[in-house]
Amino acid sequence: MAGYVLKESKGKIEGSVYASLKTSGNGQESFSTVSVDAGIEVAFFNLKGETFSFSHKHRPYTLIVDFCKKGRIGWTMQNGDTIFAGENDFMIRNGDSCAQSRVKLPLGFYSGISVSFDLQLIDPVCIPKTDTDFSFDGIVKNFCLKEYSQSFAAEAFITGIFSNLQDVNLQCVKPLFKLNCYSLLIYLGYFERFKHCKLRLNSQIKTEKIRKIADFLKKDLQKRYTIADLSEIFGINPTTLQESFKDIIGQTVDDFVKEIRMNRAADLLSDTSLSIGEIAHRLGYKNQGKFSSAFKQRQGIGPFEYRKRIKKIFCED
């Protein structure tokens, strides 16, 4: 087997798992790949926007582990199920499940790392020795015999591995970078021995309904809707609405609306000459005092001071 070579490429490289990857969407995307060893590859993704479509071909018995560094991602697989992952969560999927898939970014951005394993190309001789005999049997049985895709809550060992993989200094120390990838593979081999917190799968119908609710809330910030109001408008059980909204968007309904309001407030303060009282009214606050208090809690300074600083920056430019 050829010696270890760490090779980075911006985009697709010949023979890469990602060589056939095609993406389309309404945002910006960038990714680079690192060829670690025969059958092992690391990809670094940065996506900005709302939706993307992925189309790629994998060899049989290809397994991918995705780790969310920042943002949030919702991945709708070929069977219609959608898995979501927030910061430090991870997903495991095989090539069959995601050859044709769609990605949605509830927060508008995603930064993550993916490690792919082509089990037919990996030489078992290269795997570090363990106290027990390691084989691919457990990995194949758990993840490869049928379409598989599942997301899991943050877990210390996984977070540690991906923290190492994103370390620029470690990327220059080839044996350690390689060791972390093989550690992840060994971990997958004994995956069923550990207790993991699976994140809920969401059907395509439920996901689309929650997205409609989020869009509805964005468009009408002046009115305040209760969970009961939204439940009646969209025909969804209040408890299901709250649980599904948190699963899919990554925030409670209240936190989501607060963030949207404060982001919109910052835009209005910097881009318009509207009075602070008028801005408060447009964003559904009963009075200027409540708005100023909420804005200061979020930004660290009040709206008047924020506008003053923004104008000063523009004048200096």
Side-chain angles (χ1 to χ4, degrees):
M1 182 176 176
Y4 169 66
V5 178
L6 184 63
K7 179 182 178 182
E8 182 174 359
S9 172
K10 300 298 182 182
K12 302 161 187 151
I13 59 177
E14 185 177 354
S16 163
V17 167
Y18 301 98
S20 63
L21 176 63
K22 296 179 181 179
T23 60
S24 62
N26 59 358
Q28 299 175 335
E29 49 146 312
S30 66
F31 74 93
S32 60
T33 57
V34 174
S35 178
V36 178
D37 211 345
I40 302 178
E41 204 167 3
V42 179
F44 301 87
F45 285 87
N46 286 289
L47 304 175
K48 291 183 179 181
E50 292 186 1
T51 59
F52 295 84
S53 294
F54 281 75
S55 175
H56 54 156
K57 297 178 181 179
H58 287 307
R59 286 163 49 87
Y61 302 107
T62 296
L63 192 63
I64 304 114
V65 183
D66 305 293
F67 178 81
C68 177
K69 288 167 43 183
K70 293 181 180 180
R72 188 167 182 82
I73 188 169
W75 207 310
T76 301
M77 302 298 171
Q78 290 190 140
N79 62 5
D81 286 338
T82 301
I83 56 176
F84 287 86
E87 191 167 326
N88 292 332
D89 295 336
F90 66 102
M91 300 181 287
I92 302 176
R93 56 192 170 90
N94 60 31
D96 292 336
S97 68
C98 57
Q100 302 287 336
S101 54
R102 298 185 308 281
V103 162
K104 293 188 177 181
L105 309 181
L107 302 182
F109 69 98
Y110 167 78
S111 177
I113 306 172
S114 298
V115 180
S116 64
F117 300 101
D118 186 332
L119 302 182
Q120 291 184 318
L121 294 181
I122 296 173
D123 187 346
V125 175
C126 297
I127 299 174
K129 299 297 182 182
T130 61
D131 292 338
T132 57
D133 293 333
F134 174 85
S135 72
F136 291 133
D137 293 347
I139 297 177
V140 172
K141 178 182 177 181
N142 288 330
F143 307 114
C144 298
L145 295 182
K146 60 181 180 180
E147 289 188 10
Y148 182 94
S149 57
Q150 181 63 59
S151 56
F152 301 88
E155 196 276 332
F157 185 81
I158 295 291
T159 300
I161 285 180
F162 281 95
S163 177
N164 290 336
L165 293 178
Q166 66 182 313
D167 187 330
V168 175
N169 294 321
L170 184 69
Q171 292 176 23
C172 298
V173 184
K174 299 176 182 179
L176 291 179
F177 192 84
K178 176 180 178 180
L179 181 61
N180 274 272
C181 292
Y182 276 114
S183 295
L184 179 59
L185 181 62
I186 292 172
Y187 184 83
L188 294 176
Y190 299 105
F191 194 76
E192 60 183 0
R193 299 189 185 183
F194 299 93
K195 291 184 178 180
H196 297 87
C197 181
K198 289 185 178 181
L199 301 177
R200 274 187 287 263
L201 287 171
N202 289 276
S203 69
Q204 187 172 354
I205 294 174
K206 184 190 293 183
T207 300
E208 289 302 322
K209 181 167 285 191
I210 295 299
R211 291 292 301 173
K212 286 180 180 179
I213 293 173
D215 290 340
F216 175 79
L217 292 170
K218 287 179 185 178
K219 291 176 182 177
D220 192 358
L221 294 174
Q222 189 170 4
K223 186 171 181 180
R224 292 179 176 269
Y225 294 95
T226 65
I227 295 297
D229 292 333
L230 296 172
S231 173
E232 184 175 349
I233 292 170
F234 289 92
I236 182 172
N237 177 275
T239 301
T240 301
L241 191 159
Q242 293 181 86
E243 291 178 350
S244 299
F245 198 95
K246 181 68 182 295
D247 287 343
I248 293 167
I249 304 299
Q251 298 172 298
T252 64
V253 174
D254 285 344
D255 288 343
F256 174 78
V257 173
K258 285 178 183 177
E259 183 170 333
I260 296 298
R261 280 197 170 104
M262 291 301 101
N263 289 340
R264 181 61 178 151
D267 290 340
L268 292 172
L269 287 166
S270 59
D271 299 339
T272 76
S273 58
L274 292 171
S275 69
I276 293 175
E278 176 61 22
I279 292 174
H281 175 71
R282 288 193 179 194
L283 297 179
Y285 288 90
K286 292 182 178 179
N287 56 62
Q288 182 175 320
K290 288 185 177 295
F291 165 69
S292 296
S293 177
F295 190 88
K296 185 174 182 178
Q297 185 177 14
R298 169 82 179 184
Q299 299 287 353
I301 58 175
F304 179 80
E305 181 64 24
Y306 180 86
R307 172 174 272 173
K308 187 177 178 180
R309 289 188 185 184
I310 291 295
K311 285 183 177 179
K312 183 178 180 181
I313 292 172
F314 285 149
C315 289
E316 289 176 351
D317 291 342

